[in-house]
Amino acid sequence: MAEAASAPSPSRAVTGDSEFDRDTAVVRREPGVYDIDLSAGWTILGAVNGGYLLAVLGRALGDALPHPDPFTVSAHYLTASRPGRAVIRTETVRTGRTLSTGQASLFQCDDEGNEVERIRVLASYGDLAGLPDDVRTTAKPPAIPPYEQCFGPADGPDPLKGVSAITDRLLLKLDPATVGWAIGQPSGKGEMRAWFGLADGRDADPLSLLLAVDALPPTAFEMGLKGWVPTVELTTHIRHRPAPGPLRVAITTRNLAGGFLEEDAEVWDSEDRLVAQSRQLARVRLA
């Protein structure tokens, strides 16, 4: 069992009535078409976080498709999204007894009033509660120190202060081995590990796992790089409904080439189950 007994227990928001739920809520305009006002609270350097966007489109597809839970979600980020009004258009591709597949795109208007597609998603949904319990795996939870030995924005200098509104929405405690970048001493390794939760105490569910895979500081920071690391493509697999309690997220990068890197993420719950996996391709600005 994970060593999380000393993690703080804030006054918990309940699922359905938390900041995350309010800010990802979509309004059905007509079948397959949804309106949303993207919140500025989930931005970094003025751009809307990719995991938050994935959760927004995931909620729309969860309404449009007959199955309740995202199993696999693949997203291509076409242009940077910004806070404000947006419209989501969904299409059901196929429905079956076990899985249903749909696609969704999010659009915003540019400064000239022209509609621009920001992100396009293809996803398959099913019912996580109906999966068999048989697990055969060689995967192991990440070796992260106990919660009280890890570091959050309040524990030292915060190099993202004032440019990362999303930080205030999250309860992040980073593994000390992956915070060298924050004090100008990056390890040079493409690794980032942290305890993860929502700041208002809401427990994780399959939808918030779509946020968790893209909510940590980029591995590029610990490789000695700075600045925005925009996601080009992100594929997420939801493997299990998470147990209550803090999550552990581990992200690694093995190859940076041509100004692009991959980030492989694993998310583990408080019962040592692998509940989500992802891989993304991201662009970095080389000096």
Side-chain angles (χ1 to χ4, degrees), residues 57-104:
L57 273 77
R59 192 176 290 282
L61 282 166
D63 181 82
L65 296 173
H67 290 93
D69 301 314
F71 273 31
T72 176
V73 183
S74 295
H76 284 264
Y77 295 80
L78 308 176
T79 55
S81 300
R82 29 188 210 191
R85 296 177 59 184
V87 60
I88 300 167
R89 298 190 178 94
T90 68
E91 177 186 345
T92 299
V93 177
R94 182 185 181 277
T95 60
R97 287 197 306 172
T98 304
L99 293 173
S100 55
T101 299
Q103 62 182 10

Side-chain angles (χ1 to χ4, degrees), residues 223-280:
M223 298 170 78
L225 301 172
K226 299 179 180 180
W228 187 34
V229 185
T231 303
V232 177
E233 187 270 346
L234 171 60
T235 294
T236 303
H237 299 158
I238 306 300
R239 308 303 302 271
H240 203 287
R241 185 173 291 274
L247 302 170
R248 284 156 294 163
V249 183
I251 306 177
T252 58
T253 293
R254 296 178 59 221
N255 191 56
L256 188 162
F260 292 85
L261 57 77
E262 89 287 346
E263 286 192 345
D264 290 319
E266 291 185 351
V267 184
W268 294 77
D269 73 0
S270 59
E271 296 184 357
D272 286 345
R273 291 178 302 193
L274 180 63
V275 293
Q277 300 166 280
S278 74
R279 165 167 281 199
Q280 71 168 278

